Amino acid sequence: MTPLSGDSVKHAAQTRLLGNVVHYWEQVDSTNAALGRLLKEGAAGGTVVLADAQTVGKGRVGKPWFSPPGMNLHLSVLLKPAIPVTDAHFYTLIGSLAIADACEFYEVTAQVKWPNDVLVDDKKIGGVLAELRAINGRVDSLILGVGINVNISRNTMNHLYGEAAAGATSLHEALGHTLDRNALAARVLENLERRHFHFLTHGKQPVIAEWRSRSFLGRRVTIHEGDIRVEGIAVNLDAEGCLIVTLDDGSTVHVREGEVFPFH
Ligand code: BTN
């Protein structure tokens, strides 16, 4: 299996901003956290952190993101979109669409699941975690972390994830062979860059339209927002990127992505 390498990713990515600087570590606590530290030292927009292993990978809602060393993709990208904080959650949608694009590059059909999951055959193959620094209500810096199950096999998932393995999959499982993670990382960066600039130029509507066309709408969902638990059918995404859920009593709620947290 080709080892991960910052130089390989940098050279393979056909981008003008993302990956101009790539930091690779064999092991970090979390690529998002590492990039947060680089930001404090003055890292430029487009800087990427890539790691073969994370010791404290972060998932959404404070959950850990566990992924064994040497198999999967863990990367984070620093973006500086001049947008209001209230629009920052669009990067969660953009990130999951970019992962879905990368799966489809390898002819693996992927769906997005609100707010930040990517599914293949109804099982989770990847997700994104966006964290931001804001100044006066506007985004100053946004760290977009991407995790994709790449070369982890079904046996290893069953062994390591226990019951959760039933809801997980990998590109290895979908394709039946291993992938070069450097090439995959390059595709993810290209997709993110294209979607990032498209969002800044064309706004929210195209993101919503595309997310709708690649999502699992019409299914039953349970959504936790703090202490609130909402169950119903996910019927649509509204113009602000909120999930519209029809509850069992027939009423409708718009659930806002509440998970673009400030980083520390
Ligand atoms: C989720 O679906 O819960 C989000 C998963 C995000 C995981 C990635 S792995 C790279 C980056 N660094 C982290 O600590 N988390 C994200």
Side-chain angles (χ1 to χ4, degrees):
M1 211 185 290
T2 320
L4 256 190
S5 134
D7 280 345
S8 301
V9 174
K10 187 173 158 63
H11 291 121
Q14 303 283 311
T15 51
R16 59 189 161 100
L17 175 68
L18 271 63
N20 282 350
V21 177
V22 179
H23 296 266
Y24 167 76
W25 281 286
E26 206 170 306
Q27 179 173 294
V28 286
D29 48 356
S30 144
T31 55
N32 270 33
L35 190 48
R37 292 190 289 272
L38 290 170
L39 173 61
K40 286 180 186 150
E41 292 164 13
T47 300
V48 169
V49 169
L50 179 71
D52 201 42
Q54 300 185 115
T55 52
V56 201
K58 300 190 274 182
R60 50 188 283 257
V61 284
K63 290 187 194 155
W65 178 258
F66 179 68
S67 163
M71 296 181 187
N72 296 328
L73 195 64
H74 326 104
L75 67 78
S76 300
V77 178
L78 179 60
L79 297 170
K80 301 197 174 217
I83 57 169
V85 168
T86 45
D87 290 345
H89 61 286
F90 272 84
Y91 277 87
T92 302
L93 306 178
I94 287 169
S96 35
L97 285 169
I99 297 177
D101 294 339
C103 292
E104 282 169 11
F105 177 83
Y106 293 100
E107 297 183 357
V108 172
T109 304
Q111 279 194 302
V112 290
K113 180 177 169 217
W114 192 93
N116 69 336
D117 290 346
V118 181
L119 307 181
V120 167
D121 290 334
D122 264 358
K123 295 176 186 163
K124 182 158 173 166
I125 202 160
V128 299
L129 176 67
E131 298 181 279
L132 64 83
R133 184 166 81 181
I135 296 176
N136 295 331
R138 296 191 70 82
V139 173
D140 169 72
S141 305
L142 187 139
I143 292 176
L144 193 60
V146 172
I148 307 179
N149 294 335
V150 187
N151 290 327
I152 188 167
S153 67
R154 170 51 48 200
N155 280 347
T156 309
M157 285 188 279
N158 290 344
H159 179 66
L160 291 179
Y161 298 163
E163 279 182 11
T169 190
S170 66
L171 285 165
H172 182 275
E173 181 168 55
L175 290 167
H177 60 79
T178 56
L179 274 188
D180 175 8
R181 287 176 295 160
N182 297 305
L184 174 67
R187 299 294 84 77
V188 170
L189 294 181
E190 289 164 2
N191 300 330
L192 275 177
E193 175 165 296
R194 191 185 67 252
R195 291 187 174 281
H196 164 61
F197 287 131
H198 198 267
F199 175 59
L200 295 181
T201 312
H202 299 281
K204 304 172 187 177
Q205 207 282 328
V207 181
I208 305 262
E210 197 164 345
W211 195 94
R212 281 178 184 145
S213 75
R214 293 168 77 171
S215 77
F216 74 124
L217 292 170
R219 307 254 195 108
R220 188 155 191 87
V221 290
T222 306
I223 286 160
H224 303 262
E225 279 219 319
D227 291 339
I228 303 167
R229 203 176 123 113
V230 180
E231 279 193 47
I233 305 291
V235 289
N236 211 341
L237 204 63
D238 73 14
E240 291 304 316
C242 301
L243 189 69
I244 308 175
V245 179
T246 301
L247 305 183
D248 295 342
D249 65 6
S251 63
T252 292
V253 291
H254 292 232
V255 187
R256 187 174 186 82
E257 151 68 288
E259 292 168 0
V260 182
F261 293 117
F263 61 80
H264 304 288

mmCIF file of all heavy atoms in Angstrom, residues 90-109:
data_model
loop_
_atom_site.group_PDB
_atom_site.id
_atom_site.type_symbol
_atom_site.label_atom_id
_atom_site.label_comp_id
_atom_site.label_asym_id
_atom_site.label_seq_id
_atom_site.Cartn_x
_atom_site.Cartn_y
_atom_site.Cartn_z
ATOM 1 N N PHE A 90 -22.976 25.995 5.880
ATOM 2 C CA PHE A 90 -22.971 25.541 4.481
ATOM 3 C C PHE A 90 -21.697 24.756 4.166
ATOM 4 O O PHE A 90 -21.677 23.915 3.275
ATOM 5 C CB PHE A 90 -23.141 26.730 3.513
ATOM 6 C CG PHE A 90 -24.591 27.007 3.259
ATOM 7 C CD1 PHE A 90 -25.319 27.789 4.138
ATOM 8 C CD2 PHE A 90 -25.248 26.435 2.177
ATOM 9 C CE1 PHE A 90 -26.675 27.999 3.948
ATOM 10 C CE2 PHE A 90 -26.608 26.645 1.974
ATOM 11 C CZ PHE A 90 -27.322 27.426 2.866
ATOM 12 N N TYR A 91 -20.630 25.030 4.941
ATOM 13 C CA TYR A 91 -19.394 24.284 4.694
ATOM 14 C C TYR A 91 -19.505 22.824 5.128
ATOM 15 O O TYR A 91 -18.772 21.969 4.624
ATOM 16 C CB TYR A 91 -18.191 25.003 5.329
ATOM 17 C CG TYR A 91 -17.724 26.069 4.379
ATOM 18 C CD1 TYR A 91 -18.296 27.339 4.404
ATOM 19 C CD2 TYR A 91 -16.809 25.777 3.386
ATOM 20 C CE1 TYR A 91 -17.932 28.305 3.479
ATOM 21 C CE2 TYR A 91 -16.440 26.734 2.453
ATOM 22 C CZ TYR A 91 -17.007 27.981 2.498
ATOM 23 O OH TYR A 91 -16.652 28.920 1.556
ATOM 24 N N THR A 92 -20.418 22.545 6.038
ATOM 25 C CA THR A 92 -20.658 21.146 6.389
ATOM 26 C C THR A 92 -21.302 20.435 5.199
ATOM 27 O O THR A 92 -20.938 19.308 4.862
ATOM 28 C CB THR A 92 -21.582 21.086 7.626
ATOM 29 O OG1 THR A 92 -20.947 21.813 8.675
ATOM 30 C CG2 THR A 92 -21.810 19.681 8.080
ATOM 31 N N LEU A 93 -22.237 21.109 4.548
ATOM 32 C CA LEU A 93 -22.875 20.527 3.357
ATOM 33 C C LEU A 93 -21.858 20.403 2.223
ATOM 34 O O LEU A 93 -21.786 19.368 1.541
ATOM 35 C CB LEU A 93 -24.066 21.389 2.915
ATOM 36 C CG LEU A 93 -25.137 21.690 3.981
ATOM 37 C CD1 LEU A 93 -26.230 22.593 3.403
ATOM 38 C CD2 LEU A 93 -25.753 20.421 4.533
ATOM 39 N N ILE A 94 -21.064 21.454 2.036
ATOM 40 C CA ILE A 94 -20.047 21.458 0.969
ATOM 41 C C ILE A 94 -19.041 20.329 1.204
ATOM 42 O O ILE A 94 -18.654 19.614 0.272
ATOM 43 C CB ILE A 94 -19.328 22.839 0.940
ATOM 44 C CG1 ILE A 94 -20.282 23.897 0.350
ATOM 45 C CG2 ILE A 94 -18.003 22.782 0.177
ATOM 46 C CD1 ILE A 94 -19.806 25.329 0.506
ATOM 47 N N GLY A 95 -18.645 20.151 2.454
ATOM 48 C CA GLY A 95 -17.677 19.094 2.775
ATOM 49 C C GLY A 95 -18.239 17.715 2.483
ATOM 50 O O GLY A 95 -17.555 16.866 1.889
ATOM 51 N N SER A 96 -19.500 17.485 2.857
ATOM 52 C CA SER A 96 -20.028 16.137 2.596
ATOM 53 C C SER A 96 -20.243 15.917 1.099
ATOM 54 O O SER A 96 -20.017 14.813 0.593
ATOM 55 C CB SER A 96 -21.291 15.822 3.422
ATOM 56 O OG SER A 96 -22.090 16.913 3.598
ATOM 57 N N LEU A 97 -20.602 16.973 0.361
ATOM 58 C CA LEU A 97 -20.720 16.816 -1.095
ATOM 59 C C LEU A 97 -19.348 16.520 -1.719
ATOM 60 O O LEU A 97 -19.246 15.710 -2.649
ATOM 61 C CB LEU A 97 -21.315 18.084 -1.725
ATOM 62 C CG LEU A 97 -22.830 18.281 -1.505
ATOM 63 C CD1 LEU A 97 -23.254 19.689 -1.940
ATOM 64 C CD2 LEU A 97 -23.640 17.225 -2.262
ATOM 65 N N ALA A 98 -18.305 17.133 -1.169
ATOM 66 C CA ALA A 98 -16.956 16.899 -1.725
ATOM 67 C C ALA A 98 -16.512 15.457 -1.483
ATOM 68 O O ALA A 98 -15.842 14.858 -2.335
ATOM 69 C CB ALA A 98 -15.956 17.879 -1.102
ATOM 70 N N ILE A 99 -16.897 14.884 -0.351
ATOM 71 C CA ILE A 99 -16.567 13.467 -0.101
ATOM 72 C C ILE A 99 -17.366 12.593 -1.071
ATOM 73 O O ILE A 99 -16.833 11.639 -1.658
ATOM 74 C CB ILE A 99 -16.892 13.057 1.356
ATOM 75 C CG1 ILE A 99 -16.044 13.844 2.341
ATOM 76 C CG2 ILE A 99 -16.691 11.547 1.549
ATOM 77 C CD1 ILE A 99 -16.360 13.551 3.809
ATOM 78 N N ALA A 100 -18.645 12.920 -1.243
ATOM 79 C CA ALA A 100 -19.481 12.136 -2.168
ATOM 80 C C ALA A 100 -18.904 12.197 -3.586
ATOM 81 O O ALA A 100 -18.843 11.189 -4.290
ATOM 82 C CB ALA A 100 -20.925 12.634 -2.135
ATOM 83 N N ASP A 101 -18.450 13.389 -4.004
ATOM 84 C CA ASP A 101 -17.808 13.526 -5.329
ATOM 85 C C ASP A 101 -16.622 12.580 -5.435
ATOM 86 O O ASP A 101 -16.409 11.942 -6.478
ATOM 87 C CB ASP A 101 -17.202 14.927 -5.524
ATOM 88 C CG ASP A 101 -18.207 16.046 -5.584
ATOM 89 O OD1 ASP A 101 -19.376 15.785 -5.875
ATOM 90 O OD2 ASP A 101 -17.790 17.206 -5.335
ATOM 91 N N ALA A 102 -15.814 12.544 -4.369
ATOM 92 C CA ALA A 102 -14.590 11.728 -4.408
ATOM 93 C C ALA A 102 -14.957 10.252 -4.520
ATOM 94 O O ALA A 102 -14.317 9.503 -5.260
ATOM 95 C CB ALA A 102 -13.747 11.989 -3.169
ATOM 96 N N CYS A 103 -16.011 9.825 -3.818
ATOM 97 C CA CYS A 103 -16.457 8.424 -3.933
ATOM 98 C C CYS A 103 -16.869 8.155 -5.378
ATOM 99 O O CYS A 103 -16.528 7.114 -5.960
ATOM 100 C CB CYS A 103 -17.645 8.156 -3.015
ATOM 101 S SG CYS A 103 -17.237 8.224 -1.269
ATOM 102 N N GLU A 104 -17.591 9.123 -5.960
ATOM 103 C CA GLU A 104 -18.108 8.892 -7.310
ATOM 104 C C GLU A 104 -16.996 8.911 -8.363
ATOM 105 O O GLU A 104 -17.113 8.253 -9.398
ATOM 106 C CB GLU A 104 -19.262 9.843 -7.594
ATOM 107 C CG GLU A 104 -20.448 9.246 -6.871
ATOM 108 C CD GLU A 104 -21.693 10.073 -6.734
ATOM 109 O OE1 GLU A 104 -21.792 11.123 -7.381
ATOM 110 O OE2 GLU A 104 -22.565 9.634 -5.968
ATOM 111 N N PHE A 105 -15.913 9.597 -8.056
ATOM 112 C CA PHE A 105 -14.738 9.541 -8.942
ATOM 113 C C PHE A 105 -14.281 8.080 -9.089
ATOM 114 O O PHE A 105 -13.817 7.665 -10.149
ATOM 115 C CB PHE A 105 -13.609 10.397 -8.360
ATOM 116 C CG PHE A 105 -12.348 10.340 -9.150
ATOM 117 C CD1 PHE A 105 -12.171 11.142 -10.267
ATOM 118 C CD2 PHE A 105 -11.318 9.463 -8.790
ATOM 119 C CE1 PHE A 105 -11.008 11.074 -11.014
ATOM 120 C CE2 PHE A 105 -10.153 9.391 -9.535
ATOM 121 C CZ PHE A 105 -9.995 10.199 -10.651
ATOM 122 N N TYR A 106 -14.441 7.303 -8.025
ATOM 123 C CA TYR A 106 -14.062 5.879 -8.064
ATOM 124 C C TYR A 106 -15.269 4.984 -8.400
ATOM 125 O O TYR A 106 -15.263 3.795 -8.138
ATOM 126 C CB TYR A 106 -13.448 5.474 -6.710
ATOM 127 C CG TYR A 106 -12.124 6.162 -6.467
ATOM 128 C CD1 TYR A 106 -12.036 7.289 -5.654
ATOM 129 C CD2 TYR A 106 -10.970 5.707 -7.099
ATOM 130 C CE1 TYR A 106 -10.821 7.935 -5.458
ATOM 131 C CE2 TYR A 106 -9.751 6.352 -6.912
ATOM 132 C CZ TYR A 106 -9.685 7.460 -6.091
ATOM 133 O OH TYR A 106 -8.482 8.100 -5.909
ATOM 134 N N GLU A 107 -16.318 5.634 -8.915
ATOM 135 C CA GLU A 107 -17.536 4.926 -9.345
ATOM 136 C C GLU A 107 -18.245 4.222 -8.208
ATOM 137 O O GLU A 107 -18.833 3.145 -8.373
ATOM 138 C CB GLU A 107 -17.230 3.977 -10.509
ATOM 139 C CG GLU A 107 -16.755 4.809 -11.681
ATOM 140 C CD GLU A 107 -16.470 4.025 -12.943
ATOM 141 O OE1 GLU A 107 -16.578 2.800 -12.911
ATOM 142 O OE2 GLU A 107 -16.151 4.681 -13.943
ATOM 143 N N VAL A 108 -18.175 4.843 -7.038
ATOM 144 C CA VAL A 108 -18.921 4.354 -5.881
ATOM 145 C C VAL A 108 -20.040 5.369 -5.628
ATOM 146 O O VAL A 108 -19.765 6.547 -5.375
ATOM 147 C CB VAL A 108 -18.001 4.240 -4.641
ATOM 148 C CG1 VAL A 108 -18.812 3.931 -3.392
ATOM 149 C CG2 VAL A 108 -16.927 3.187 -4.877
ATOM 150 N N THR A 109 -21.285 4.932 -5.745
ATOM 151 C CA THR A 109 -22.410 5.863 -5.579
ATOM 152 C C THR A 109 -22.571 6.215 -4.105
ATOM 153 O O THR A 109 -22.643 5.332 -3.252
ATOM 154 C CB THR A 109 -23.706 5.211 -6.101
ATOM 155 O OG1 THR A 109 -23.468 4.841 -7.456
ATOM 156 C CG2 THR A 109 -24.888 6.153 -6.018
#
